[in-house]
Amino acid sequence: MNRTLTIRPLMIAITVSLILITGCQQNNQAEKIDLKGEITLIDEEEQLLYIDGNPIMVENPDAFQLGQQVTAELIDTNPYEDWDPEQIVVENIDFIG
């Protein structure tokens, strides 16, 4: 039997396993973010609150006012580098001053 035919399926299996393991590890990463800044935009329809231009989803956008200074404790569950408000978990928002 040709040795190349035996090695090729093994290499494919190892490659697929590495891709699956790497993908699973990326999904488990979460980053804690402490965001301090000014509310620059409120989108009540989309339930988005923008803190210094960074959007986060909130249940009660009408409880906030433009220009308020806040500190937000967030968890970013997105395995990628981009900011995705649907992947940001809001743990707490405190008003400053």
Side-chain angles (χ1 to χ4, degrees):
M1 185 166 174
N2 190 344
R3 185 178 171 128
T4 305
L5 293 176
T6 305
I7 294 175
R8 188 172 288 164
L10 179 62
M11 293 303 292
I12 291 172
I14 290 172
T15 302
V16 168
S17 296
L18 287 174
I19 290 170
L20 290 174
I21 290 171
T22 303
C24 290
Q25 287 177 343
Q26 286 179 345
N27 289 337
N28 292 332
Q29 293 178 350
E31 178 184 358
K32 183 175 180 182
I33 300 170
D34 291 322
L35 183 61
K36 182 178 179 178
E38 179 181 336
I39 297 176
T40 53
L41 180 65
I42 300 170
D43 185 340
E44 291 187 27
E45 186 175 313
E46 296 291 327
Q47 291 189 305
L48 290 172
L49 181 70
Y50 289 75
I51 302 173
D52 287 340
N54 297 306
I56 59 172
M57 296 187 87
V58 294
E59 293 179 7
N60 55 346
D62 54 335
F64 300 92
Q65 296 176 359
L66 288 176
Q68 279 182 317
Q69 295 291 322
V70 294
T71 300
E73 296 174 16
L74 312 170
I75 303 290
D76 184 359
T77 61
N78 190 351
Y80 306 105
E81 292 295 319
D82 10 336
W83 186 276
D84 182 357
E86 292 184 5
Q87 299 289 323
I88 304 287
V89 177
V90 178
E91 292 209 319
N92 189 37
I93 299 178
D94 288 324
F95 300 103
I96 302 172

